[in-house]
Amino acid sequence: MMDMVAMSVLDSTMVSICREMGITLQKTSYSTIFNEALDFTCGLADIKGNLIAVADFCPAMIGGIPLLVQSCLKEIDVEDLQEGDIILHNDPYRGGLHTPEHTFFKPIFFEGKLQGWAIAIGHIAEVGGMAPGGFAGEATEIFQEGVRIPPVKIKKAGVDNNDIWRMILANVRTPRTNYGDLRALIAAVDLGERQMIEVLKKYGTVEVQQIVGDLLDYAERRMKAEIEAIPDGVYAFEDVVESDGVTPDTTYRIAVEVHVRGSQIIIDYAGSAPQARGPINATLGVSTSAAYNAVLHMTDPSIPRNSGCFRPIKVLSPPGTIMNVDFPAPSVGGNTETHPRITGAILGAMASAVPIRVMAAEGATHCNFVFGGVDAVSGEYFACYDLETVGWGGRAFADGNDAVDSINGNCRTTPVEVFETRFPWRVEKLAFDTDSGGAGEFRGGLGYSKEMVCLNALITVSQMTDRHETKPWGLNGGLDGQCGATLVKKKGTDIWETMCEAYGKVSSSRYSNVSILEGDRIKLKTPGGGGFGNPAKRSRESVERDLQNGYISLESAKANYGYLEK
């Protein structure tokens, strides 16, 4: 019989350990993507690679941990492991999510026996490859996306493996920053190991193993009960990714069928587009994680986040498609851009079954504006991954959130003061875009504009974003949200142009290695969320409040809500 008190205490303890690991990573890292944006996740796994606890960081990584760790364990000789070993890995074709995300996992030994793993996954901002900042929007093969690292020991018995360190740092543009971030990830798994050893000392290995097993079973039972409350049936939805950055005038279909059968949910991606030439392809880890992400958003948030709650969720992802890419195609955008579109499509499919638990489309992009160059003052190379936030979709009971990171990220934007201090840009405007949220009984959340001027002689920029052409869809009569955009105004001109117009790029949302010169300006516009419900049902009070706050224009109030001035 399960001891519910012991199970709750151990679960809370392990989740707290994961949170402390994340705080350590944040406070000791060098790059803004860690210490400001929080683009990382920390967790614990059992000896088989099953996720047993995780903190509330990035959903994409949370759902990706089990496949990632279990894939790596196939290449690791467990008998060869020693106390103090730390394994590093970032290969998307070995269970990973995309090349920038580096996973560190450290074996936890107690009384001479392997008891589990401490895990930290973080998005390293500069990974080599064809474009500074890691998002080569025009990549056509994985080799252009950065250094791929199979599971290797970066530390052996507590001692640095200097050959591995030299190999990694010799292949990136910012070795000092990368060194600091990698050390922060190591500090996180070191802390996780120490804290779990204290737990094992307190309770004993037999007791901990029993409680962890019960915890996984409990999470499975809770998830099955949630699924059983959904009407059985087959629910379908389709969406499109607007471009792969390489092939002109081509969109890529995301097809989803959700089969609900009693206490099991099967998510089938058959009918999705063949894999693209450009870097929008999802790995199996990404499409699996996206399915988990969608189901977690529709079910009780108090269910423990571990491998047990994933057991009733089955994913069918045909190889050679945009949902399960074959080597050696590129995939860096699959994790950031295709993942939220998959999750959104699943929520769209389930709108008729559980309307209270889904939302209209969110902006579904992280903007992923990356850049690098040689600082004119210090003479040092800099690189940055700058992410922006979007409007979320309206719901059956509330407006969508304004300016929140996309559904698979849970990250923050870098404060303007920090951004301007660390990098040679001056931000001239950061403001919500009026009317960017789709009209509805419950309005879509707002996107915003960020305008900045280049202060360096040269900055090389690339981008991996979406929704420049395909609007975030509304639900139940709600209207679509506004698209995003990336525009450039060259020094000495008054014309804002897209990257296609200014530099002849195939796509305005995915491109590589554009040279921005001192005095040039960039405008990043993020998409809003779709509206939910008939706009005519929105209360006059809500419309007037939106007008007062500048969220909607008077023209929109009249046209979309039938608003009449007194």
Side-chain angles (χ1 to χ4, degrees):
M1 180 179 293
M2 292 182 180
D3 184 337
M4 297 299 294
V5 173
M7 192 167 60
S8 178
V9 169
L10 182 59
D11 182 43
S12 297
T13 299
M14 293 191 299
V15 170
S16 294
I17 290 171
C18 297
R19 288 175 180 151
E20 190 173 350
M21 292 167 66
I23 293 169
T24 298
L25 203 169
Q26 177 194 10
K27 298 297 184 182
T28 59
S29 59
Y30 285 24
S31 68
T32 55
I33 195 61
F34 282 173
N35 49 46
E36 297 293 344
L38 309 183
D39 194 355
F40 56 76
T41 289
C42 299
L44 298 167
D46 65 15
I47 59 175
K48 295 181 180 179
N50 295 307
L51 180 67
I52 61 175
V54 69
D56 298 326
F57 293 115
C58 290
M61 300 177 190
I62 291 170
I65 286 176
L67 178 62
L68 192 159
V69 176
Q70 289 165 5
S71 297
C72 291
L73 289 180
K74 294 178 180 178
E75 297 188 46
I76 296 170
D77 183 358
V78 176
E79 299 299 322
D80 185 50
L81 291 174
Q82 305 175 70
E83 294 185 40
D85 286 353
I86 297 180
I87 296 164
L88 165 63
H89 158 272
N90 82 327
D91 189 353
Y93 286 102
R94 286 179 165 91
L97 303 175
H98 64 174
T99 306
E101 280 176 7
H102 288 51
T103 302
F104 287 75
F105 44 111
K106 185 174 186 179
I108 300 170
F109 284 92
F110 182 66
E111 296 179 342
K113 293 184 178 180
L114 179 63
Q115 303 294 332
W117 302 88
I119 304 162
I121 308 177
H123 185 119
I124 300 296
E126 163 51 35
V127 292
M130 67 182 284
F135 279 95
E138 299 171 14
T140 56
E141 58 181 6
I142 189 70
F143 309 107
Q144 296 170 324
E145 295 184 332
V147 180
R148 288 167 53 230
I149 306 169
V152 294
K153 290 184 182 180
I154 195 166
K155 296 189 80 170
K156 294 183 178 180
V159 179
D160 281 346
N161 186 341
N162 288 323
D163 289 342
I164 297 296
W165 279 103
R166 285 196 294 268
M167 184 276 295
I168 294 170
L169 298 179
N171 284 281
V172 296
R173 297 171 176 86
T174 54
R176 178 180 175 275
T177 300
N178 285 48
Y179 180 82
D181 286 346
L182 296 176
R183 285 293 184 194
L185 286 156
I186 288 173
V189 294
D190 282 345
L191 185 145
E193 177 212 26
R194 291 196 304 271
Q195 298 284 47
M196 277 305 295
I197 287 173
E198 293 302 313
V199 170
L200 291 163
K201 287 179 180 177
K202 182 175 182 178
Y203 296 104
T205 57
V206 175
E207 183 76 3
V208 169
Q209 289 172 2
Q210 178 62 51
I211 297 172
V212 166
D214 289 345
L215 184 60
L216 297 178
D217 292 341
Y218 172 73
E220 179 183 11
R221 193 174 73 228
R222 291 278 308 277
M223 182 58 75
K224 284 184 173 179
E226 289 285 301
I227 295 171
E228 286 173 349
I230 301 172
D232 281 2
V234 179
Y235 306 94
F237 196 87
E238 290 188 3
D239 202 352
V240 295
V241 177
E242 67 191 25
S243 168
D244 71 345
V246 176
T247 310
D249 304 320
T250 305
T251 59
Y252 299 84
R253 181 171 61 174
I254 292 173
V256 169
E257 275 193 354
V258 182
H259 299 251
V260 180
R261 299 177 181 174
S263 62
Q264 186 180 64
I265 191 165
I266 302 166
I267 297 173
D268 188 356
Y269 299 133
S272 295
Q275 67 187 48
R277 286 186 64 218
I280 60 171
N281 302 297
T283 66
L284 179 61
V286 168
S287 58
T288 301
S289 177
Y292 293 163
N293 190 5
V295 176
L296 291 178
H297 272 85
M298 292 186 290
T299 51
D300 190 337
S302 69
I303 298 174
R305 274 20 180 182
N306 59 44
S307 287
C309 77
F310 299 148
R311 289 172 184 167
I313 308 166
K314 308 301 179 185
V315 179
L316 304 177
S317 193
T321 67
I322 192 176
M323 314 296 264
N324 185 3
V325 62
D326 283 339
F327 181 84
S331 62
V332 69
N335 191 43
T336 58
E337 304 303 292
T338 307
H339 177 133
R341 302 300 290 278
I342 299 169
T343 299
I346 295 169
L347 296 179
M350 299 305 293
S352 63
V354 285
I356 198 69
R357 296 190 177 189
V358 303
M359 64 177 176
E362 47 117 357
T365 179
H366 301 273
C367 204
N368 301 318
F369 183 73
V370 298
F371 56 84
V374 178
D375 189 275
V377 177
S378 68
E380 291 189 4
Y381 204 99
F382 61 88
C384 176
Y385 167 30
D386 183 45
L387 62 81
E388 305 296 338
T389 55
V390 297
W392 277 39
R395 297 154 285 177
F397 55 89
D399 291 345
N401 295 320
D402 304 315
V404 174
D405 194 25
S406 188
I407 197 167
N408 62 328
N410 202 27
C411 298
R412 311 184 306 194
T413 54
T414 299
V416 168
E417 297 82 359
V418 175
F419 185 78
E420 292 181 332
T421 301
R422 295 287 297 272
F423 307 108
W425 295 95
R426 183 175 66 247
V427 178
E428 298 181 317
K429 176 184 176 182
L430 185 66
F432 284 134
D433 285 335
T434 301
D435 293 332
S436 56
E441 181 180 3
F442 298 102
R443 174 182 50 77
L446 299 184
Y448 60 90
S449 290
K450 178 179 180 179
E451 294 182 21
M452 50 193 177
V453 59
C454 175
L455 304 180
N456 210 53
L458 171 67
I459 299 179
T460 301
V461 307
S462 303
Q463 194 172 24
M464 172 67 66
T465 185
D466 203 61
R467 297 255 193 237
H468 283 189
E469 300 172 13
T470 57
K471 293 183 177 181
W473 36 265
L475 272 180
N476 289 9
L479 302 187
D480 295 344
Q482 279 189 2
C483 286
T486 299
L487 304 170
V488 60
K489 183 163 70 172
K490 295 180 181 179
K491 183 179 179 180
T493 72
D494 291 321
I495 302 172
W496 288 104
E497 298 177 289
T498 68
M499 292 296 168
C500 303
E501 294 165 338
Y503 299 99
K505 295 295 183 179
V506 169
S507 169
S508 68
S509 56
R510 294 166 177 86
Y511 55 86
S512 298
N513 296 328
V514 168
S515 296
I516 301 298
L517 306 179
E518 187 172 5
D520 291 348
R521 284 170 167 79
I522 292 287
K523 180 190 292 186
L524 304 174
K525 292 175 65 70
T526 70
F532 191 104
N534 187 343
K537 295 183 179 180
R538 188 167 179 82
S539 69
R540 182 180 177 89
E541 178 186 3
S542 296
V543 173
E544 290 180 337
R545 183 174 62 248
D546 285 348
L547 281 168
Q548 184 178 24
N549 289 329
Y551 294 164
I552 64 174
S553 64
L554 182 59
E555 293 75 17
S556 174
K558 292 178 178 178
N560 295 322
Y561 297 105
Y563 179 75
L564 299 176
E565 295 180 87
K566 292 181 180 179

